Amino acid sequence: MDRLGRFACLVAALLVAASLSGASADLRREFAEPPLRWQSRPLWFWNGKLDADKTRKMVADCKAAGYYGMGILPCNGMGVDFMSPAFLQHYKVAVDEAARLGMRMCLYDEFWFPSGSAGGLLAKRRPEALSRRLDMLAADVTGPRPFTQAVPAGTLMGAVAMDAATKQRLDITASVHDGALRWNVPGGDWKVMIFTCVRDGRDGLVDYLEPRAVDAFIQLTYQAYHDAMPERFGSTIDGAFYDEPAFYHVEGGRAWTDRFNDVFRARYGTNPITLYPALWFDIGPDTAAARNALFGMRSEMYADGFVKTLNDWCAAHRMGLTGHADQEELVNPVVGSVGDLMKSFQHQSMPGIDQVFAYGRASKAYKVVSSAANNYDKPQVVTECYGAMELPPANLYKEAMDQFAKGINTMVPHAVWYDPAAIVFKPDLSPGAPVYGPELPAYNQYIGRLQRMLQGGRHVSDIGVLYPIATLQAGSWFGPGNPYEGCVDIPEADYMEVGEALSVGVRRDFTFVHPEVLQERCAVEGATIVLRNKVNHERWRAFILPGSRCISVATLRRIKQFTDQGGAVIATTRLPDRAAEFGADAEVRRLVSEIFGPEATRRGDAPRVTASSTWVGGGFDPARVVDGSPLTRWNAADGSKGAQWLEADLGRERTVGGVVVNEAFDRVRGYRVQAWNGKEWVDQARGERLGKRAEVHFPPVSTHRLRLLMEAVAGDSASVSEWTILGPDGRNLFKREAPPCRRNARGGRAWFLPTPSVAALKAVLAEALPDGDVVIDHDQPVTTGNISYIHKGKDGLSIYFFANSSDDPVDTWVALRGKVAPEVWDPHDGNVGPAEVRHVTGKEGPVTRVHLKLAPVHSLFLVAPDAPRKPGTKATP
């Protein structure tokens, strides 16, 4: 830069500082030296014999290390019984010391986890409050003939007969008398089903669907703590934390409750009995709608029965509620987790997630949980992080960067341990820990700066992405798979993959939008969808419909309204063809055709790829091998030197004549290409090495599944950049063409991407949103981490957080929509300095280009006064 340019930058920096000084004096001061109240609050595992003096010293040491407070997690080794007078007295010692030191405590509501057993007290004292499940007794009967069946013990929820040929269903509950079903079976083949709700009580857990049962849990825990130290609630004890509830704790994930039918009738005005068979079987055209009604009702009962009941108690005692479900990273949470993950946070003051076991394990779920906070206007999003990880100190920052850039803004480190000799889950984040202790003061200042800047305010992004709960519910049923792992794989459900591609591939931020929120809190204003929240009032100029077979008609009508008024819509993987409402499938197909064009419904047959294992670091999913980009890759699990495989589901029977494989590294030592013949895998070709490019041909074979079996690797693990499947003529069977854009008279545009690769999404978004809110020039992948960002509006300021969690330096430019005058605020040391900027004219108006330099594992903020302009209008020079 020449002398004149440097002078111009200096003048610009002085003007920026002047414009920011009044609006952000407190923010600037607290950024430089973050007060204790903005710093992290870890879980404190009481895994050792309790001693009052040791307790007081640990509280003081935690404050000296920069912790603002703790959440005491009772566990084995305390030397006193959970919730006994002696335990509560020790607890009061810790709380009183925190109060003396100006710290805060969070009430962890259980002994160990999951929440809901009160450390075994619920089963002993209130067994009527234990979990319940739905059972089915089914018999295949051919009529005409009389049929008698004893009704199993439990609460009868209904009896149904279904004609095997027509799927006609009859409510035959009235035929139950004196403990037996007696029914005259008409001619034909029938399935007769009896549904009962019985006590399950596994692990002594509460009925999460029933407010009265949850209140029994509250009386044994929350209320007992309050009774022991009422003066500390709402002041020193300012929040509560629940941990890892999930339906999978009940056999088969079939958590239910006796009042289900009554609640359903009150909600829908109809009886659900004839819908029950859909929970196990295909019941014909009503299947998708029936599952949406039943699973949707169960999710609503969980959100009301467990979460809202806890939150209401906390609110009455001037406390906030946080906590998280178990297995929130499941693509399909319907059966085994908590049903509708986003909706589960509707009544929770601080939505939460945990990130444990391995770096980036829950990466794809961060945006689901932070988006729930955005949807329901919650200012804080909590993460319980680091548990059960072998992590270098740098990963304390990597995890924080990745999560805060995806909307999480409150850190709960896992964990401080009472007895470091009896640690159950590493790491030990206690002040005296030899590895992490010395890092804690600097770490907590870093977290304090992030939390000060990113808690509250409003999220700014151009893109809304539908949370496809309708297709998840429609594709789920009781019976198959392991509830802990999600039970049913939904083939079209690509929303987490699309979200991850947007966040760390395309590097454009977005918000998942719950379909009910789209209806109840959003409006179409011109070519924009507006989220009309009091604080988090977002505006989306593009809307993505991720892969779905089933969708609500109301959702689709809103999307069509958006395109009719000039909006841009992008659909991925699969277009819906059935409705979440009864009798509306034809309307769904009509609306899809009108939005995307009749030709779009005939596309979408790209292969779906799965793998034997995937590296847990994130960003190396098997779908990467068919995304058309040589810059991305699949990687097997770290250290997996044995046989690994990639499998492609071709969507339908295809004739295949070969493959092209591009390894990221020359590691494979022995491979086979195999086709599935309906019973087993059959070798089509085999060889020793693949390398940078291997083109393998074989006699044409008809199959719908193809597998690349890598029998051994020379070192580390298998890694493939691209896997091209060839037809009998040697051409790519799934050659990607530029997706056609369907336009309407009002300027609305719609694209369908059967293969939503990073490259395809990037190309379409460049057309749909030429001047994005934030566009990062850096187009190269990075190693062992990510480049990501978030933009928030807060206190009259635009706050942009850029994070480089990778081990590579990044030197690039970013484009910010509008004429922006930013400063650089460094959260690692609290320093503030000028930004190197260029003001240019983009395709839609003024754009500010900012030079961004980030060392490995480093982040920064760009802070600028908000440009005043009418919401929804383009910025002007």
Side-chain angles (χ1 to χ4, degrees):
M1 184 183 299
D2 60 23
R3 183 179 300 176
L4 183 60
R6 288 194 296 270
F7 177 74
C9 282
L10 177 60
V11 171
L14 292 172
L15 291 173
V16 169
S19 66
L20 284 171
S21 60
S24 63
D26 290 342
L27 184 64
R28 185 185 295 269
R29 182 174 59 254
E30 293 187 349
F31 185 82
E33 293 292 336
L36 188 67
R37 69 179 183 276
W38 290 108
Q39 298 181 180
S40 72
R41 298 164 60 171
L43 292 176
W44 183 14
F45 280 73
W46 274 13
N47 67 324
K49 188 173 182 180
L50 300 178
D51 174 84
D53 290 338
K54 180 177 180 179
T55 295
R56 293 188 187 96
K57 183 178 185 304
M58 289 191 73
V59 174
D61 288 347
C62 281
K63 180 179 179 180
Y67 289 136
Y68 180 40
M70 295 88 79
I72 296 169
L73 199 161
C75 49
N76 290 325
M78 296 187 296
V80 295
D81 291 335
F82 177 63
M83 299 311 292
S84 67
F87 167 80
L88 291 171
Q89 181 56 41
H90 278 289
Y91 201 99
K92 191 172 187 304
V93 167
V95 174
D96 287 349
E97 183 65 6
R100 187 184 72 82
L101 295 172
M103 300 169 71
R104 295 289 182 268
M105 301 294 281
C106 182
L107 177 68
Y108 185 91
D109 69 3
E110 187 53 82
F111 178 90
W112 205 238
F113 44 84
S115 291
S117 72
L121 296 175
L122 191 74
K124 292 178 181 177
R125 300 182 186 176
R126 300 292 301 274
E128 76 281 1
L130 294 178
S131 64
R132 305 184 73 77
R133 73 171 187 269
L134 183 67
D135 283 352
M136 177 192 67
L137 178 63
D140 294 321
V141 185
T142 299
R145 73 176 182 87
F147 173 78
T148 301
Q149 174 65 60
V151 175
T155 301
L156 177 63
M157 305 304 293
V160 181
M162 181 169 70
D163 187 304
T166 67
K167 306 298 183 185
Q168 177 192 12
R169 301 178 312 283
L170 304 175
D171 181 354
I172 58 173
T173 310
S175 297
V176 175
H177 300 284
D178 301 322
L181 170 68
R182 296 177 177 87
W183 183 58
N184 291 319
V185 182
D189 295 329
W190 294 81
K191 186 177 289 292
V192 179
M193 296 155 280
I194 301 172
F195 302 94
T196 52
C197 186
V198 302
R199 182 181 297 175
D200 185 278
R202 288 191 175 194
D203 304 318
L205 290 170
V206 72
D207 180 351
Y208 293 126
L209 308 180
E210 178 54 66
R212 290 175 295 184
V214 175
D215 186 64
F217 168 68
I218 287 173
Q219 296 304 313
L220 294 171
T221 51
Y222 291 72
Q223 190 64 47
Y225 281 114
H226 180 270
D227 292 346
M229 55 200 93
E231 72 282 2
R232 297 303 185 196
F233 277 69
S235 53
T236 304
I237 299 177
D238 64 351
F241 187 112
Y242 70 80
D243 205 7
E244 300 197 347
F247 297 149
Y248 74 76
H249 294 291
V250 170
E251 182 182 336
R254 302 193 308 273
W256 215 252
T257 196
D258 294 354
R259 291 192 314 116
F260 186 92
N261 291 4
D262 295 335
V263 175
F264 190 97
R265 277 191 293 266
R267 173 77 165 77
Y268 292 106
T270 187
N271 197 312
I273 291 175
T274 57
L275 305 182
Y276 272 88
L279 293 171
W280 273 267
F281 307 110
D282 184 333
I283 63 170
D286 287 344
T287 303
R291 290 174 179 170
N292 267 280
L294 294 169
F295 284 127
M297 187 76 261
R298 184 173 75 152
S299 294
E300 198 167 298
M301 292 183 74
Y302 168 81
D304 289 346
F306 184 67
V307 180
K308 187 176 186 297
T309 303
L310 296 183
N311 199 82
D312 286 352
W313 190 95
C314 289
H317 295 83
R318 296 175 292 123
M319 299 160 58
L321 176 70
T322 191
H324 63 88
D326 197 10
Q327 294 297 88
E328 56 266 84
E329 65 273 14
L330 291 174
V331 171
N332 182 10
V334 171
V335 172
S337 186
V338 292
D340 184 334
L341 182 60
M342 283 191 71
K343 193 170 186 177
S344 74
F345 296 118
Q346 181 176 5
H347 306 297
Q348 183 169 321
S349 55
M350 295 176 284
I353 191 170
D354 73 340
Q355 162 48 25
V356 294
F357 295 128
Y359 170 61
R361 174 177 177 264
S363 176
K364 295 173 187 175
Y366 301 157
K367 286 293 293 185
V368 178
V369 177
S370 68
S371 293
N374 294 340
N375 277 224
Y376 301 115
D377 220 2
K378 314 291 185 181
Q380 285 183 258
V381 191
V382 177
T383 176
E384 174 197 334
C385 191
Y386 308 121
M389 293 188 196
E390 294 278 359
L391 74 164
N395 279 37
L396 294 173
Y397 297 89
K398 283 181 177 244
E399 289 282 6
M401 288 177 197
D402 287 351
Q403 294 181 57
F404 278 68
K406 288 185 175 180
I408 290 164
N409 57 30
T410 304
M411 177 63 74
V412 176
H414 186 314
V416 171
W417 294 86
Y418 203 93
D419 181 359
I423 291 173
V424 181
F425 300 116
K426 294 179 180 181
D428 181 9
L429 299 177
S430 305
V435 175
Y436 306 102
E439 185 67 28
L440 290 178
Y443 165 79
N444 274 314
Q445 283 211 320
Y446 175 77
I447 293 296
R449 294 182 183 111
L450 265 55
Q451 296 189 163
R452 178 65 179 90
M453 301 292 281
L454 295 175
Q455 286 182 8
R458 65 183 183 90
H459 180 231
V460 183
S461 69
D462 287 321
I463 303 167
V465 179
L466 183 72
Y467 179 60
I469 188 62
T471 207
L472 299 178
Q473 291 175 161
S476 297
W477 70 95
F478 292 145
N482 180 351
Y484 181 79
E485 297 173 349
C487 280
V488 182
D489 179 33
I490 310 295
E492 72 273 13
D494 64 355
Y495 71 104
M496 283 193 175
E497 291 291 343
V498 168
E500 194 75 349
L502 289 171
S503 291
V504 300
V506 182
R507 298 176 183 136
R508 292 219 195 184
D509 197 11
F510 69 96
T511 298
F512 281 118
V513 186
H514 194 283
E516 290 182 6
V517 169
L518 185 65
Q519 289 302 307
E520 298 167 6
R521 293 177 176 238
C522 294
V524 176
E525 296 182 2
T528 308
I529 297 177
V530 180
L531 175 61
R532 290 178 164 175
N533 281 336
K534 183 177 180 180
V535 176
N536 190 60
H537 45 90
E538 300 189 38
R539 306 181 71 87
W540 304 305
R541 300 194 300 142
F543 200 82
I544 295 178
L545 172 59
S548 300
R549 294 192 68 190
C550 179
I551 193 169
S552 165
V553 170
T555 298
L556 208 49
R557 287 172 184 160
R558 181 57 53 89
I559 292 172
K560 185 171 188 300
Q561 180 191 9
F562 176 52
T563 57
D564 285 349
Q565 294 186 204
V569 174
I570 304 161
T572 63
T573 300
R574 167 135 191 176
L575 292 168
D577 60 5
R578 61 199 64 183
E581 299 88 350
F582 291 99
D585 290 357
E587 186 172 1
V588 163
R589 290 190 286 269
R590 177 181 62 81
L591 288 168
V592 166
S593 181
E594 290 176 1
I595 296 169
F596 297 98
E599 70 281 357
T601 61
R602 297 190 290 271
R603 301 178 69 223
D605 55 355
R608 184 171 183 270
V609 181
T610 54
S612 50
S613 70
T614 301
W615 189 51
V616 296
F620 297 91
D621 304 287
R624 307 286 187 183
V625 302
V626 291
D627 66 3
S629 171
L631 301 177
T632 61
R633 59 189 172 95
W634 160 77
N635 211 101
D638 192 28
S640 53
K641 295 183 180 180
Q644 295 288 311
W645 51 259
L646 288 165
E647 180 183 329
D649 183 339
L650 307 182
R652 57 183 172 84
E653 202 78 6
R654 300 276 194 156
T655 301
V656 180
V659 297
V660 177
V661 182
N662 305 97
E663 269 195 273
F665 313 100
D666 184 12
R667 292 175 179 169
V668 171
R669 299 295 182 267
Y671 69 87
R672 302 183 189 202
V673 181
Q674 301 175 312
W676 181 254
N677 68 2
K679 295 181 180 179
E680 60 185 353
W681 291 105
V682 179
D683 288 350
Q684 306 301 314
R686 60 190 306 172
E688 292 301 317
R689 298 177 76 157
L690 291 167
K692 187 175 181 180
R693 186 179 190 278
E695 186 165 342
V696 182
H697 294 275
F698 45 80
V701 59
S702 182
T703 184
H704 73 279
R705 291 164 63 194
L706 200 70
R707 186 164 74 169
L708 174 63
L709 177 65
M710 293 154 280
E711 298 179 289
V713 294
D716 295 321
S717 54
S719 189
V720 175
S721 299
E722 285 293 296
W723 182 25
T724 304
I725 299 170
L726 306 177
D729 57 0
R731 291 186 295 181
N732 184 351
L733 264 180
F734 300 99
K735 184 178 180 181
R736 293 165 188 80
E737 299 175 355
C741 175
R742 182 174 176 84
R743 302 174 185 271
N744 60 37
R746 297 288 299 274
R749 293 160 294 166
W751 294 263
F752 174 44
L753 302 180
T755 306
S757 67
V758 168
L761 286 165
K762 188 175 292 187
V764 169
L765 286 170
E767 184 178 350
L769 301 171
D771 295 343
D773 179 63
V774 176
V775 179
I776 300 174
D777 283 4
H778 194 85
D779 201 30
Q780 299 299 312
V782 290
T783 57
T784 61
N786 303 294
I787 301 170
S788 51
Y789 78 93
I790 191 169
H791 176 195
K792 301 200 79 171
K794 180 178 176 180
D795 300 331
L797 300 173
S798 275
I799 298 172
Y800 305 84
F801 175 62
F802 292 93
N804 174 24
S805 63
S806 79
D807 295 332
D808 301 326
V810 171
D811 187 339
T812 189
W813 288 79
V814 299
L816 312 179
R817 188 170 60 243
K819 194 169 185 179
V820 183
E823 287 182 334
V824 177
W825 294 28
D826 190 330
H828 297 267
D829 57 21
N831 288 333
V832 174
E836 182 183 349
V837 302
R838 297 174 182 170
H839 294 294
V840 300
T841 300
K843 294 182 179 179
E844 299 176 286
V847 169
T848 302
R849 291 180 58 76
V850 185
H851 191 193
L852 192 70
K853 296 184 71 172
L854 289 168
V857 195
H858 204 87
S859 58
L860 59 79
F861 288 95
L862 298 179
V863 182
D866 260 342
R869 64 177 185 264
K870 183 179 179 180
T873 61
K874 296 179 182 177
T876 55

